[in-house]
Amino acid sequence: MTDARTTDREVAPLRERLWAAAVDADEAGAVAVLRGAAQDGWPKETLLLDVVAAVQRRVGEEWAADRITVAAEHAATAVTAGAVAALAHDLPRPTGHRPRVTVACVDGEWHALPARLVAETLRCRGWRVDFLGAHVPTPHLVAHLHATAPEAVLLSASLPTRLPTAHAALTACQSTGVPVLVGGAAFGPDGREARAVRADGWAADARHAADLLEAGIEKPYATAARHQVDDLPHLADQEYTLITRTRAALVRQVLHDLWERSPALRSYTPEQQDRTAEDLQHIIEFLATALYFDDPDIFARFVGWTTGILTARGVPVESLHLGLTVLAGHLYDFPRARRFLNETAPALDPFATPLSVTGTGTPA
């Protein structure tokens, strides 16, 4: 069997067996599935990317559709991560001529499994890999580069809200003269955010990352230190900075107005109120990230995803529309933010009309 000849139909039985173990929180069973398949001749790269990664995507989809609980999603993810670790232990130590690379998640990014799959795929191809795991502070990452002098750094980010931090990490790594390859769902389906921050390469998945490394990555755009505004001149308008700095006050203001305008919200339990505050914080974080890149699609994708989550859980989408309307009122003096909020209206169909702006205030 080879990766080139493997079809979805061929791997489907393995996926189903691994899925059954994952939803049953059976890590030993999951390990047995992968090790047994490896002994039967399945390439480990196929098992990692066409079986494990596919099952993990299904875990996320089932949670989003409200067919499994948060606890079940966490348990299944732990099982797949444990199975990957067990499979990795069976890989031989690299003995070829491939150089050393570093794989890490950016500071604040806790979704480590996608990066782990990249790391193990590279090991399958003979690379010497330093896998630093989740949530790697940038100063520690740079110190590691100085100590090990890798051929390249591969940075992973799954949540778009981690992108400003990823940008800072990328420029810091490039200042050491090490090229940076980025990947993960955060960078968008086409890698446009990777190009915006001048990454040295963007990979859609682990195979793509390995292929790019094998083809060779040029040295960074510049080894001299540069500032974020050098890459993204629109940051000079300060909308991203001001909204980020006043996020907590903005959440409080919007919550206050929501309680005043919606009798249903006033009857919320303390736990429901806390969840509403968390949701508002996420909305503002994604709006700020969209402002950082001047890319309304970042916010629109988040609103569309949130709409699907609410619908699956039987929560009226009107509540999201009301929240965005109130938020728009508090961002009267922020034209880019207001425009992004209005451009989300199609994602809230049948409320596909511009959001009314009734306030004239700015974040406190």
Side-chain angles (χ1 to χ4, degrees), residues 336-350:
R336 283 202 297 134
R338 269 201 337 273
R339 175 168 60 85
F340 289 4
L341 285 164
N342 279 317
E343 289 180 4
T344 64
L348 296 171
D349 187 62

Side-chain angles (χ1 to χ4, degrees), residues 212-273:
L212 287 175
L213 281 179
E214 289 173 354
I217 300 180
E218 295 182 3
K219 289 296 183 181
Y221 281 97
T223 56
R226 69 179 190 272
H227 300 287
Q228 294 163 311
V229 74
D230 295 332
D231 295 339
L232 306 171
H234 55 267
L235 290 176
D237 69 9
Q238 296 292 300
E239 287 200 30
Y240 165 77
T241 301
L242 290 172
I243 289 177
T244 300
R245 287 178 178 175
T246 60
R247 181 178 57 207
L250 189 54
V251 168
R252 290 194 298 270
Q253 292 172 342
V254 173
L255 279 175
H256 177 271
D257 287 0
L258 285 175
W259 303 151
E260 292 294 321
R261 295 180 59 168
S262 174
L265 292 176
R266 289 197 293 271
S267 65
Y268 274 16
T269 66
E271 181 181 358
Q272 289 174 315
Q273 292 178 17

Side-chain angles (χ1 to χ4, degrees), residues 162-235:
R162 307 299 179 229
L163 286 176
T165 300
H167 187 191
L170 180 146
T171 57
C173 292
Q174 287 177 329
S175 71
T176 70
V178 179
V180 181
L181 177 64
V182 300
F187 291 94
D190 59 357
R192 72 179 70 176
E193 275 67 58
R195 293 189 292 275
V197 298
R198 296 198 293 173
D200 299 295
W202 167 77
D205 53 35
R207 281 199 182 94
H208 187 199
D211 291 343
L212 287 175
L213 281 179
E214 289 173 354
I217 300 180
E218 295 182 3
K219 289 296 183 181
Y221 281 97
T223 56
R226 69 179 190 272
H227 300 287
Q228 294 163 311
V229 74
D230 295 332
D231 295 339
L232 306 171
H234 55 267
L235 290 176

Side-chain angles (χ1 to χ4, degrees), residues 7-8 24 27 32 37 44 50-51 79 104 110 121 143 151-152 157 180 193 203 268 270 278-279 293 301 320 337 347:
T7 66
D8 283 345
D24 198 33
E27 183 172 317
K44 289 186 172 65
D50 298 317
V51 179
V79 166
W110 292 98
T121 298
E151 183 78 4
V180 181
E193 275 67 58
Y268 274 16
E278 291 176 1
D279 291 342
F293 287 95
R301 289 195 300 268
L320 177 58

Side-chain angles (χ1 to χ4, degrees), residues 37-335:
Q39 291 171 0
D40 289 340
W42 285 91
K44 289 186 172 65
E45 183 172 318
T46 297
L47 297 178
L48 289 168
L49 305 183
D50 298 317
V51 179
V52 175
V55 167
Q56 189 59 36
R57 283 194 298 271
R58 183 175 174 182
V59 169
E61 292 166 357
E62 293 294 298
W63 171 82
D66 201 29
R67 289 191 288 264
I68 63 174
T69 66
V70 172
E73 183 268 333
H74 284 190
T77 299
V79 166
T80 55
V84 169
L87 194 63
H89 293 161
D90 296 337
L91 291 175
R93 294 178 65 85
T95 57
H97 63 281
R98 302 263 190 193
R100 189 173 195 166
V101 295
T102 296
V103 178
C105 296
V106 300
D107 196 355
E109 179 59 69
W110 292 98
H111 295 83
L113 186 57
R116 181 70 187 269
L117 290 172
V118 171
E120 301 311 334
T121 298
L122 294 177
R123 288 191 177 113
C124 284
R125 298 197 186 186
W127 291 83
R128 296 176 58 205
V129 181
D130 295 332
F131 175 58
L132 306 188
H135 182 53
V136 182
T138 299
H140 297 286
L141 174 60
V142 171
H144 178 80
L145 302 187
H146 283 301
T148 60
E151 183 78 4
V153 181
L154 292 87
L155 293 180
S156 175
S158 295
L159 295 178
T161 51
R162 307 299 179 229
L163 286 176
T165 300
H167 187 191
L170 180 146
T171 57
C173 292
Q174 287 177 329
S175 71
T176 70
V178 179
V180 181
L181 177 64
V182 300
F187 291 94
D190 59 357
R192 72 179 70 176
E193 275 67 58
R195 293 189 292 275
V197 298
R198 296 198 293 173
D200 299 295
W202 167 77
D205 53 35
R207 281 199 182 94
H208 187 199
D211 291 343
L212 287 175
L213 281 179
E214 289 173 354
I217 300 180
E218 295 182 3
K219 289 296 183 181
Y221 281 97
T223 56
R226 69 179 190 272
H227 300 287
Q228 294 163 311
V229 74
D230 295 332
D231 295 339
L232 306 171
H234 55 267
L235 290 176
D237 69 9
Q238 296 292 300
E239 287 200 30
Y240 165 77
T241 301
L242 290 172
I243 289 177
T244 300
R245 287 178 178 175
T246 60
R247 181 178 57 207
L250 189 54
V251 168
R252 290 194 298 270
Q253 292 172 342
V254 173
L255 279 175
H256 177 271
D257 287 0
L258 285 175
W259 303 151
E260 292 294 321
R261 295 180 59 168
S262 174
L265 292 176
R266 289 197 293 271
S267 65
Y268 274 16
T269 66
E271 181 181 358
Q272 289 174 315
Q273 292 178 17
D274 289 343
R275 291 293 299 275
T276 302
E278 291 176 1
D279 291 342
L280 281 172
Q281 181 167 314
H282 290 316
I283 288 171
I284 294 169
E285 286 176 346
F286 273 86
L287 176 61
T289 302
L291 291 169
Y292 187 90
F293 287 95
D294 198 31
D295 185 356
D297 285 348
I298 292 175
F299 189 64
R301 289 195 300 268
F302 169 71
V303 172
W305 177 84
T306 301
T307 299
I309 296 294
L310 294 176
T311 301
R313 286 152 178 76
V315 178
V317 178
E318 294 95 314
S319 61
L320 177 58
H321 186 268
L322 177 60
L324 296 183
T325 300
V326 172
L327 177 59
H330 283 283
L331 297 175
Y332 185 82
D333 291 331
F334 294 77

